[in-house]
């Protein structure tokens, strides 16, 4: 019995109901909101003047009509349809064309509260009638009301205002319309002007615009979202020719390729130090003091990519393209050639010319247009001129994740003012795959450059220090010399090497002299041995002759004796 009751009355759970969402098509927003706005419900978008409220609503409608086949209705209470169409044309929104194609209806219902005279009860029946006609005209699924405060200002008291607002939302929800209501921030910083709109809305989005260090930054926050989990942090966003773009740093997933293919840096010695080169799609940080050759290394990496037939993008925040071309030519790096053949593009712009988010959005747009396989950023430390450390770190992380997600090898430089080998660089050294450190060594009245690898994930890299030289034949790495007092570089190394060569030559000459002396002694000994052998042979021959003579004499004597004996016998 208990089992049958349990089956006939299932407990509520995630599988019983899931809030359906309508994708906005706004880049980045659907990610942080878990899929878009609540379908068939009302969303309040609130913000101060210039924060991007109307743009948000318009892109919601335009993307719905063009991408998701959901026609929409825009009801404006302050601006004419002509002015609105002209204002957003710079963002690529062709509202008149959408209207002609019956994908969008723009209703301009301008209300001037100062001209309204209230006699008796005031209700929204007239608004409902106009909305109904517009919705039926195109079969609308989406509605935007901009701004709601103009309509609410006609009510004299808060209870009536709240009741009519609820009635409006219920009317929209009953028809299954996904609605966006544009609201205005209060003068004292309140979320809305009248303080009731946020309470009756199912989803509330707050847009904000701040000015720090004379740089304007826009931010978005999901204040509430009934029936859905969502990101609660503030997310920077930009408004550009590509529309409304949210940059969700905390929504970025660690999902990107990690292949085993290696690519050359353009320096064979450095490739050997890295165990065969850099991993494709990895991130590389080059840190060092000013004048250590960081920009030259990036330029060399980019030109090597171009030699492989790959496109590369050089993002510079300190030098113009002409200056980079001239400076790199002095070390045999021909940037102009690769620019002319279309394999290299240089984007040079001061970081102070726009906010960090705007700069990142523009770089993303450039990447989509040019499709590079390697991007060099020189230098990320300059972002500190337009933001505080946490914001700079967040922007750098977003940049690295953007490049990783596109399968792009990233090379970044950062200027350091002290030895930070064991410290952190711009808060991102932990997420970098390979870290090269270039430093100056001042000895004997001259300054020389040293390069070594702090880390290189997945590589059996060298732990040796190399001297980094910039010559008219190009950059090169040279093995350092260890002398009695430590590492020797530059002129001291040349003097030391010359001294070692002279010592080696002197030692070689001494060895040759000893070899000749030994050869002479060997010949003398061999001559003596030959003489002794000759004397020995003569003595041997003489001894043999004497022996033969004596043997012959003995035989003769024996023969004579025998004859004498025989002779005596005969006589007897």
């Amino acid at each position: 019995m208990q089992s049958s009751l349990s089956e006939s009355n299932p407990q509520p759970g995630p599988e019983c109901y899931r809030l359906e969402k309508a994708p906005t098509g706004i880049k980045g927003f659907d990610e942080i909101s878990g899929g878009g706005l609540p379908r068939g419900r009302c969303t309040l978008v609130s913000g101060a003047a210039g924060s991007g409220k109307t743009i948000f609503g318009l892109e919601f409608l335009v993307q719905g009509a063009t991408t998701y086949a959901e026609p929409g209705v825009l009801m404006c209470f302050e601006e004419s349809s002509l002015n609105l169409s002209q204002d957003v044309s710079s963002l690529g929104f062709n509202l008149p064309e959408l209207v002609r194609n019956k994908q969008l209806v723009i209703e301009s219902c301008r209300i001037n509260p100062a001209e309204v005279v209230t006699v008796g009860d005031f209700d929204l029946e007239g608004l409902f009638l106009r909305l109904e006609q517009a919705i039926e005209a195109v079969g609308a699924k989406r509605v935007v009301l901009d701004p709601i405060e103009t309509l609410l200002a006609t009510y004299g008291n808060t209870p009536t205002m709240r009741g009519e607002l609820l009635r409006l939302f219920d009317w929209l929800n009953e028809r299954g319309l996904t609605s966006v209501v544009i609201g205005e921030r209060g003068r004292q910083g309140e979320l809305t002007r009248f303080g009731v709109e946020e309470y009756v809305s199912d989803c509330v989005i707050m847009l904000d615009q701040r000015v720090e260090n004379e740089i304007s930054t826009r931010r978005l926050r999901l204040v509430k979202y009934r029936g859905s989990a969502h990101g609660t942090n503030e997310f920077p966003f930009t408004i550009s020719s590509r529309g409304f773009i949210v940059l969700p740093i905390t929504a970025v997933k660690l999902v990107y390729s990690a292949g085993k293919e290696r690519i050359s840096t353009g320096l064979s010695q450095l490739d050997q130090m890295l165990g065969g080169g850099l991993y494709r799609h990895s991130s590389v940080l080059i840190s060092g003091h000013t004048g250590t050759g960081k920009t030259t290394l990036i330029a060399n990496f980019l030109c090597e990519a171009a030699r492989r037939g790959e496109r590369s993008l050089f993002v510079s925040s300190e030098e113009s393209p002409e200056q980079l071309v001239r400076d790199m030519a002095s070390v045999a790096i021909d940037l102009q050639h690769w620019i002319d053949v279309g394999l290299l593009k240089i984007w040079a712009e001061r970081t102070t010319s726009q906010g960090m988010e705007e700069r990142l959005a523009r770089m993303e747009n450039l990447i989509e247009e040019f499709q590079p396989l390697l991007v060099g950023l020189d230098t990320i430390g300059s972002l500190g001129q337009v933001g505080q450390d946490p914001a700079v770190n967040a922007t750098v992380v977003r940049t690295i994740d953007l490049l990783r997600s596109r399968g792009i090898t990233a090379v970044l430089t950062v200027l350091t003012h002290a030895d930070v080998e064991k410290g952190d660089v711009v808060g991102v050294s932990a997420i970098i795959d390979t870290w090269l450190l270039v430093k100056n060594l001042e000895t004997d009245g001259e300054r020389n450059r040293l390069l070594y690898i702090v880390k290189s994930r997945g590589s059996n890299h060298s732990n040796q220090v190399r001297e980094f030289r910039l010559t008219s034949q190009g950059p090169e790495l040279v093995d350092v010399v260890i002398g009695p007092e430590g590492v020797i570089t530059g002129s001291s190394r040349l003097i030391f090497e010359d001294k070692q060569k002279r010592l080696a030559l002197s030692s070689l000459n001494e060895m040759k002299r000893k070899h000749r002396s030994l050869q002479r002694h060997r010949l003398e000994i061999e001559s003596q041995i030959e003489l002794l052998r000759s004397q020995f042979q003569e003595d041997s021959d003489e001894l043999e002759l004497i022996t033969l003579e004596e043997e012959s004499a003995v035989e003769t004597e024996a023969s004579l004796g025998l004859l004498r004996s025989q002779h005596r016998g005969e006589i007897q």
Side-chain angles (χ1 to χ4, degrees):
M1 188 67 175
Q2 291 177 351
S3 175
S4 64
L5 285 174
S6 176
E7 292 175 0
S8 60
N9 297 286
Q11 296 297 316
E15 68 278 5
C16 297
Y17 174 77
R18 184 176 181 180
L19 181 65
E20 186 180 358
K21 297 187 177 183
T24 63
I26 295 174
K27 191 168 184 178
F29 178 81
D30 292 343
E31 185 176 10
I32 64 175
S33 60
L37 300 180
R39 186 177 293 279
R41 298 190 183 187
C42 292
T43 296
L44 172 67
V45 179
S46 178
S51 59
K53 305 181 298 297
T54 301
I55 300 299
F56 184 98
L58 277 172
E59 183 140 0
F60 168 70
L61 290 176
V62 172
Q63 293 292 344
T66 58
T67 306
Y68 304 106
E70 295 185 2
V73 173
L74 171 63
M75 180 159 282
C76 305
F77 298 116
E78 290 184 346
E79 197 167 2
S80 68
S81 59
L82 177 60
N83 289 343
L84 188 63
S85 299
Q86 292 174 344
D87 292 343
V88 299
S89 61
S90 61
L91 303 178
F93 297 162
N94 191 341
L95 300 187
E97 182 179 358
L98 294 176
V99 172
R100 286 193 299 269
N101 295 335
K102 296 189 179 299
Q103 295 174 293
L104 177 67
V105 173
I106 303 177
E107 283 286 333
S108 181
C109 183
R110 304 183 69 177
I111 300 175
N112 186 351
E115 299 176 356
V116 174
V117 178
T118 303
V119 178
D121 295 332
F122 186 89
D123 59 33
L124 299 175
E125 290 300 328
L127 175 66
F128 293 158
L129 180 60
R130 293 190 64 172
L131 273 175
E132 188 76 42
Q133 292 175 346
I135 292 167
E136 291 179 353
V138 294
K141 301 294 183 182
R142 303 186 178 200
V143 173
V144 172
L145 306 179
D146 181 26
I148 194 65
E149 276 76 15
T150 303
L151 184 64
L152 297 180
T154 59
Y155 294 96
N157 57 76
T158 300
T160 303
M161 180 190 306
R162 182 164 187 158
E164 288 300 305
L165 189 59
L166 276 171
R167 185 179 171 213
L168 171 62
F169 286 2
D170 288 342
W171 188 91
L172 294 169
N173 294 345
E174 287 171 1
R175 286 156 178 77
L177 298 168
T178 305
S179 307
V180 171
V181 176
I182 307 299
E184 299 175 353
R185 291 286 299 273
R187 293 183 179 180
Q188 302 301 321
E190 299 89 347
L191 189 59
T192 56
R193 185 195 299 181
F194 298 108
V196 297
E197 301 93 317
E198 62 267 36
Y199 295 103
V200 298
S201 301
D202 293 290
C203 177
V204 178
I205 302 170
M206 185 179 71
L207 305 183
D208 185 26
Q209 185 175 17
R210 306 170 192 171
V211 178
E212 297 177 357
N213 298 329
E214 301 180 357
I215 301 295
S216 175
T217 303
R218 293 185 173 97
R219 298 189 181 274
L220 175 149
R221 181 165 69 92
L222 278 166
V223 179
K224 80 172 186 178
Y225 201 137
R226 288 174 181 164
S228 173
H230 59 87
T232 57
N233 296 335
E234 285 190 329
F235 301 96
F237 70 91
T238 64
I239 299 174
S240 66
S241 58
R242 299 168 61 213
F244 198 107
I245 301 175
V246 181
L247 306 171
I249 179 174
T250 54
V252 174
K253 298 180 180 179
L254 293 176
V255 179
Y256 44 83
S257 61
K260 296 182 179 180
E261 181 188 358
R262 290 184 180 268
I263 58 176
S264 174
T265 62
L267 293 172
S268 59
Q269 305 96 326
L270 183 56
D271 291 342
Q272 294 173 3
M273 293 176 67
L274 291 166
L278 299 171
Y279 280 117
R280 189 178 291 280
H281 310 158
S282 65
S283 55
V284 183
L285 177 67
I286 306 172
S287 65
H289 302 172
T290 182
T292 52
K294 302 181 297 298
T295 303
T296 303
L297 278 173
I298 277 196
N300 199 70
F301 289 2
L302 297 175
C303 286
E304 182 63 21
R307 278 188 284 270
R308 294 192 297 267
E310 302 170 0
R311 291 182 178 180
S312 54
L313 174 64
F314 196 154
V315 180
S316 173
S317 58
E318 295 181 346
E319 298 177 83
S320 68
E322 292 77 9
Q323 184 177 357
L324 285 169
V325 169
R326 182 203 65 187
D327 294 346
M328 293 303 105
S330 66
V331 288
I333 298 178
D334 191 358
L335 296 180
Q336 189 62 52
H337 169 71
W338 300 115
I339 294 173
D340 294 340
V341 299
L343 291 175
L344 174 64
K345 182 183 288 292
I346 300 178
W347 177 40
E349 196 170 76
R350 293 285 186 187
T351 54
T352 53
S353 63
Q354 69 272 314
M356 292 181 291
E357 293 77 16
E358 178 67 21
R359 183 177 180 85
L360 178 58
R362 293 183 63 184
M363 186 178 72
E364 182 182 11
N365 187 31
L366 193 58
I367 288 173
E368 289 185 357
E369 293 177 356
F370 191 59
Q371 295 294 313
L373 290 180
L374 191 148
V375 172
L377 305 175
D378 184 35
T379 162
I380 60 174
S382 61
L383 293 173
Q385 301 175 14
V386 294
Q388 302 300 321
D389 287 345
V392 172
N393 296 345
T395 301
V396 175
V397 170
R398 284 197 296 272
T399 302
I400 294 173
D401 283 327
L402 167 67
L403 298 176
R404 280 176 171 171
S405 66
R406 304 293 179 87
I408 297 174
T409 305
V411 184
L412 306 86
T413 68
V414 62
L415 174 65
T416 59
H417 302 284
D419 192 348
V420 292
E421 176 183 355
K422 297 183 179 179
D424 198 3
V425 178
V426 199
V428 296
S429 59
I431 67 172
I432 290 293
D433 297 310
T434 298
W435 183 1
L436 306 179
L437 195 148
V438 192
K439 61 188 299 184
N440 291 319
L441 179 65
E442 297 183 7
T443 55
D444 298 331
E446 67 177 20
R447 179 174 59 87
N448 297 287
R449 303 175 180 88
L450 297 178
L451 180 147
Y452 60 95
I453 303 171
V454 179
K455 74 170 185 178
S456 185
R457 289 172 177 163
S459 300
N460 184 19
H461 62 85
S462 171
N463 62 352
Q464 299 294 311
V465 178
R466 296 288 185 272
E467 182 177 355
F468 178 45
R469 300 179 59 201
L470 302 180
T471 72
S472 59
Q473 304 303 314
E476 63 179 11
L477 291 177
V478 180
D479 292 344
V480 296
V481 176
I482 306 298
E485 299 180 357
V487 175
I488 301 176
T489 61
S491 300
S492 298
R493 176 178 56 80
L494 296 176
I495 295 172
F496 182 82
E497 289 178 345
D498 184 63
K499 181 178 179 181
Q500 292 298 106
K501 288 179 180 179
R502 290 198 304 270
L503 290 174
L505 181 61
S506 176
S507 177
L508 179 61
N509 292 334
E510 180 64 17
M511 289 178 61
K512 289 181 178 180
R513 185 190 65 76
K514 289 183 177 181
H515 181 72
R516 291 192 298 269
S517 176
L518 182 63
Q519 182 70 9
R520 288 194 300 270
H521 187 53
R522 183 179 65 80
L523 292 175
E524 291 174 357
I525 292 175
E526 288 179 350
S527 177
Q528 292 176 3
I529 291 173
E530 187 64 30
L531 179 61
L532 290 174
R533 282 178 178 173
S534 177
Q535 292 176 353
F536 177 77
Q537 188 64 41
E538 290 178 0
D539 291 344
S540 297
D541 294 342
E542 183 179 358
L543 179 60
E544 185 177 358
L545 181 60
I546 293 171
T547 302
L548 291 174
E549 289 177 351
E550 288 181 353
E551 289 178 351
S552 177
V554 170
E555 290 178 355
T556 302
E557 184 64 30
S559 298
L560 291 175
L562 179 61
L563 290 175
R564 284 195 295 270
S565 296
Q566 291 176 352
H567 181 66
R568 290 191 196 101
E570 290 176 358
I571 295 175
Q572 291 177 357

